[in-house]
Short mmCIF file of all heavy atoms in Angstrom, two decimals:
data_model
loop_
_atom_site.label_atom_id
_atom_site.label_comp_id
_atom_site.label_asym_id
_atom_site.label_seq_id
_atom_site.Cartn_x
_atom_site.Cartn_y
_atom_site.Cartn_z
N PHE A 294 63.83 79.14 112.39
CA PHE A 294 63.88 78.26 113.58
C PHE A 294 65.12 78.49 114.42
O PHE A 294 65.19 78.02 115.54
CB PHE A 294 63.73 76.80 113.22
CG PHE A 294 64.79 76.22 112.30
CD1 PHE A 294 65.96 75.78 112.82
CD2 PHE A 294 64.56 76.16 110.96
CE1 PHE A 294 66.95 75.21 112.00
CE2 PHE A 294 65.51 75.60 110.10
CZ PHE A 294 66.72 75.12 110.65
N LEU A 295 66.14 79.18 113.92
CA LEU A 295 67.25 79.64 114.74
C LEU A 295 66.80 80.95 115.40
O LEU A 295 67.11 82.02 114.91
CB LEU A 295 68.54 79.82 113.90
CG LEU A 295 69.03 78.58 113.15
CD1 LEU A 295 70.27 78.93 112.33
CD2 LEU A 295 69.37 77.45 114.17
N THR A 296 66.06 80.82 116.42
CA THR A 296 65.27 81.95 117.00
C THR A 296 66.16 83.10 117.38
O THR A 296 67.18 82.96 118.05
CB THR A 296 64.48 81.47 118.25
OG1 THR A 296 63.81 80.27 117.91
CG2 THR A 296 63.51 82.52 118.69
N VAL A 297 65.72 84.31 116.91
CA VAL A 297 66.52 85.56 117.12
C VAL A 297 66.80 85.83 118.57
O VAL A 297 67.92 86.15 118.94
CB VAL A 297 65.80 86.74 116.45
CG1 VAL A 297 66.44 88.03 116.85
CG2 VAL A 297 65.76 86.58 114.93
N SER A 298 65.80 85.65 119.45
CA SER A 298 65.92 85.99 120.85
C SER A 298 65.93 84.73 121.72
O SER A 298 65.07 83.88 121.57
CB SER A 298 64.81 86.92 121.31
OG SER A 298 64.82 87.03 122.74
N ASN A 299 66.89 84.63 122.64
CA ASN A 299 66.96 83.47 123.54
C ASN A 299 66.09 83.63 124.77
O ASN A 299 66.16 82.80 125.70
CB ASN A 299 68.40 83.14 123.93
CG ASN A 299 69.11 84.33 124.57
OD1 ASN A 299 68.50 85.29 124.99
ND2 ASN A 299 70.44 84.21 124.68
N ILE A 300 65.31 84.71 124.91
CA ILE A 300 64.34 84.84 125.98
C ILE A 300 62.94 84.80 125.54
O ILE A 300 61.99 84.82 126.35
CB ILE A 300 64.62 86.15 126.81
CG1 ILE A 300 64.25 87.39 125.95
CG2 ILE A 300 66.02 86.23 127.31
CD1 ILE A 300 64.20 88.67 126.79
N ALA A 301 62.68 84.75 124.20
CA ALA A 301 61.28 84.76 123.71
C ALA A 301 60.58 83.45 124.06
O ALA A 301 61.22 82.37 124.06
CB ALA A 301 61.32 84.94 122.18
N GLY A 302 59.30 83.54 124.28
CA GLY A 302 58.51 82.37 124.60
C GLY A 302 57.09 82.71 124.89
O GLY A 302 56.67 83.89 124.80
N PHE A 303 56.31 81.69 125.24
CA PHE A 303 54.87 81.87 125.55
C PHE A 303 54.71 82.75 126.78
O PHE A 303 55.35 82.53 127.78
CB PHE A 303 54.21 80.52 125.69
CG PHE A 303 52.75 80.58 125.97
CD1 PHE A 303 51.87 80.79 124.95
CD2 PHE A 303 52.26 80.45 127.27
CE1 PHE A 303 50.47 80.83 125.15
CE2 PHE A 303 50.86 80.53 127.52
CZ PHE A 303 50.01 80.68 126.45
N GLN A 304 53.81 83.70 126.71
CA GLN A 304 53.63 84.67 127.76
C GLN A 304 52.96 84.02 128.99
O GLN A 304 51.77 83.62 128.90
CB GLN A 304 52.81 85.81 127.29
CG GLN A 304 53.39 86.62 126.16
CD GLN A 304 52.54 87.79 125.75
OE1 GLN A 304 51.87 88.42 126.59
NE2 GLN A 304 52.54 88.13 124.49
N THR A 305 53.70 83.89 130.06
CA THR A 305 53.18 83.27 131.28
C THR A 305 54.11 83.45 132.44
O THR A 305 55.28 83.87 132.24
CB THR A 305 52.93 81.77 131.05
OG1 THR A 305 52.23 81.21 132.16
CG2 THR A 305 54.23 81.00 130.86
N LEU A 306 53.69 83.13 133.61
CA LEU A 306 54.56 82.99 134.79
C LEU A 306 54.80 81.53 135.01
O LEU A 306 53.84 80.75 135.20
CB LEU A 306 53.88 83.62 136.01
CG LEU A 306 54.64 83.40 137.35
CD1 LEU A 306 56.00 84.11 137.31
CD2 LEU A 306 53.80 83.97 138.50
N ARG A 307 56.06 81.06 134.96
CA ARG A 307 56.35 79.64 134.99
C ARG A 307 57.54 79.35 135.96
O ARG A 307 58.52 80.11 136.01
CB ARG A 307 56.70 79.14 133.58
CG ARG A 307 57.08 77.71 133.53
CD ARG A 307 57.52 77.28 132.16
NE ARG A 307 56.43 77.25 131.19
CZ ARG A 307 56.31 78.04 130.13
NH1 ARG A 307 57.24 78.95 129.88
NH2 ARG A 307 55.30 77.92 129.33
N MET A 308 57.43 78.22 136.65
CA MET A 308 58.58 77.73 137.44
C MET A 308 59.50 77.01 136.48
O MET A 308 59.10 76.08 135.81
CB MET A 308 58.12 76.79 138.53
CG MET A 308 59.28 76.35 139.42
SD MET A 308 58.85 75.13 140.61
CE MET A 308 58.62 73.67 139.60
N PHE A 309 60.75 77.42 136.42
CA PHE A 309 61.76 76.78 135.56
C PHE A 309 62.52 75.71 136.30
O PHE A 309 62.61 74.59 135.78
CB PHE A 309 62.67 77.88 135.05
CG PHE A 309 63.78 77.33 134.14
CD1 PHE A 309 63.52 76.43 133.16
CD2 PHE A 309 65.14 77.73 134.35
CE1 PHE A 309 64.53 75.93 132.33
CE2 PHE A 309 66.13 77.23 133.54
CZ PHE A 309 65.85 76.34 132.52
N GLU A 310 63.02 76.03 137.48
CA GLU A 310 63.81 75.04 138.22
C GLU A 310 63.40 75.01 139.72
O GLU A 310 63.05 76.07 140.29
CB GLU A 310 65.33 75.34 138.13
CG GLU A 310 65.94 75.10 136.81
CD GLU A 310 67.45 75.23 136.82
OE1 GLU A 310 67.93 76.25 137.30
OE2 GLU A 310 68.16 74.28 136.43
N LEU A 311 63.47 73.83 140.29
CA LEU A 311 63.33 73.65 141.73
C LEU A 311 63.99 72.36 142.11
O LEU A 311 63.52 71.26 141.87
CB LEU A 311 61.82 73.55 142.07
CG LEU A 311 61.52 73.25 143.59
CD1 LEU A 311 62.14 74.30 144.49
CD2 LEU A 311 60.03 73.12 143.82
N TRP A 312 65.24 72.48 142.66
CA TRP A 312 66.01 71.29 142.90
C TRP A 312 66.77 71.34 144.21
O TRP A 312 67.02 72.42 144.77
CB TRP A 312 66.98 70.97 141.72
CG TRP A 312 67.83 72.10 141.20
CD1 TRP A 312 67.68 72.81 140.06
CD2 TRP A 312 69.01 72.67 141.78
NE1 TRP A 312 68.63 73.75 139.85
CE2 TRP A 312 69.51 73.66 140.95
CE3 TRP A 312 69.74 72.44 142.95
CZ2 TRP A 312 70.63 74.45 141.20
CZ3 TRP A 312 70.86 73.18 143.29
CH2 TRP A 312 71.30 74.18 142.40
N PHE A 313 67.18 70.15 144.61
CA PHE A 313 68.05 69.93 145.79
C PHE A 313 69.36 69.40 145.30
O PHE A 313 69.40 68.51 144.42
CB PHE A 313 67.37 68.98 146.77
CG PHE A 313 68.32 68.45 147.86
CD1 PHE A 313 68.63 69.22 148.97
CD2 PHE A 313 68.96 67.24 147.67
CE1 PHE A 313 69.52 68.78 149.92
CE2 PHE A 313 69.81 66.76 148.64
CZ PHE A 313 70.10 67.49 149.75
N GLN A 314 70.47 69.87 145.87
CA GLN A 314 71.78 69.40 145.53
C GLN A 314 72.58 69.04 146.77
O GLN A 314 72.56 69.80 147.77
CB GLN A 314 72.53 70.47 144.71
CG GLN A 314 73.97 70.10 144.36
CD GLN A 314 74.62 71.08 143.41
OE1 GLN A 314 74.59 70.93 142.24
NE2 GLN A 314 75.24 72.09 144.01
N GLN A 315 73.30 67.91 146.68
CA GLN A 315 74.21 67.49 147.72
C GLN A 315 75.57 67.23 147.10
O GLN A 315 75.74 66.48 146.17
CB GLN A 315 73.72 66.20 148.38
CG GLN A 315 74.63 65.63 149.46
CD GLN A 315 74.71 66.53 150.67
OE1 GLN A 315 73.73 66.75 151.34
NE2 GLN A 315 75.89 67.04 150.95
N LYS A 316 76.61 67.87 147.68
CA LYS A 316 77.99 67.69 147.26
C LYS A 316 78.69 66.79 148.30
O LYS A 316 78.44 66.87 149.46
CB LYS A 316 78.73 69.03 147.11
CG LYS A 316 78.17 69.88 145.97
CD LYS A 316 79.01 71.17 145.79
CE LYS A 316 78.48 71.99 144.68
NZ LYS A 316 79.24 73.28 144.49
N LEU A 317 79.61 65.99 147.77
CA LEU A 317 80.34 65.00 148.62
C LEU A 317 81.80 65.00 148.28
O LEU A 317 82.21 65.40 147.19
CB LEU A 317 79.75 63.59 148.44
CG LEU A 317 78.25 63.44 148.74
CD1 LEU A 317 77.82 62.09 148.20
CD2 LEU A 317 77.98 63.54 150.24
N LEU A 318 82.64 64.50 149.18
CA LEU A 318 84.08 64.30 149.00
C LEU A 318 84.77 65.57 148.48
O LEU A 318 85.41 65.59 147.44
CB LEU A 318 84.30 63.14 147.97
CG LEU A 318 83.65 61.79 148.33
CD1 LEU A 318 83.86 60.84 147.21
CD2 LEU A 318 84.26 61.31 149.66
N ASP A 319 84.59 66.65 149.19
CA ASP A 319 85.18 67.94 148.86
C ASP A 319 84.83 68.39 147.45
O ASP A 319 85.70 68.75 146.65
CB ASP A 319 86.73 67.87 148.97
CG ASP A 319 87.15 67.70 150.44
OD1 ASP A 319 86.46 68.17 151.33
OD2 ASP A 319 88.20 67.00 150.69
N ASP A 320 83.56 68.32 147.13
CA ASP A 320 82.97 68.75 145.84
C ASP A 320 83.42 67.88 144.64
O ASP A 320 83.21 68.25 143.51
CB ASP A 320 83.36 70.20 145.56
CG ASP A 320 82.75 71.16 146.56
OD1 ASP A 320 81.90 70.72 147.35
OD2 ASP A 320 83.17 72.30 146.57
N LYS A 321 83.97 66.72 144.90
CA LYS A 321 84.33 65.83 143.80
C LYS A 321 83.09 65.08 143.29
O LYS A 321 83.11 64.53 142.15
CB LYS A 321 85.42 64.84 144.25
CG LYS A 321 86.74 65.49 144.60
CD LYS A 321 87.82 64.45 144.94
CE LYS A 321 89.10 65.11 145.37
NZ LYS A 321 89.63 66.00 144.35
N VAL A 322 82.06 65.01 144.03
CA VAL A 322 80.79 64.37 143.59
C VAL A 322 79.64 65.34 143.90
O VAL A 322 79.57 65.96 144.97
CB VAL A 322 80.57 63.06 144.37
CG1 VAL A 322 79.24 62.43 143.94
CG2 VAL A 322 81.72 62.07 144.11
N SER A 323 78.74 65.42 142.95
CA SER A 323 77.60 66.32 143.11
C SER A 323 76.36 65.64 142.56
O SER A 323 76.36 65.16 141.45
CB SER A 323 77.80 67.65 142.40
OG SER A 323 76.62 68.42 142.37
N LEU A 324 75.29 65.58 143.40
CA LEU A 324 74.02 64.97 143.01
C LEU A 324 72.96 66.03 143.05
O LEU A 324 72.79 66.69 144.12
CB LEU A 324 73.70 63.81 143.91
CG LEU A 324 72.39 63.02 143.57
CD1 LEU A 324 72.54 62.32 142.20
CD2 LEU A 324 72.05 62.03 144.67
#
């Protein structure tokens, strides 16, 4: 279970991330 490869997985085309980010106060805050 300590999987040999960190890229192995189910064979498919998948969206991993889709996000919006706003930084404020000279990058002291990030949402």
Side-chain angles (χ1 to χ4, degrees):
F294 61 84
L295 300 178
T296 310
V297 169
S298 170
N299 57 14
I300 67 168
F303 183 79
Q304 299 182 33
T305 187
L306 174 63
R307 178 184 290 117
M308 183 185 73
F309 178 47
E310 289 188 307
L311 175 59
W312 49 255
F313 166 81
Q314 177 173 268
Q315 177 67 62
K316 295 183 178 180
L317 303 166
L318 303 177
D319 294 329
D320 296 348
K321 295 185 183 301
V322 178
S323 170
L324 181 66

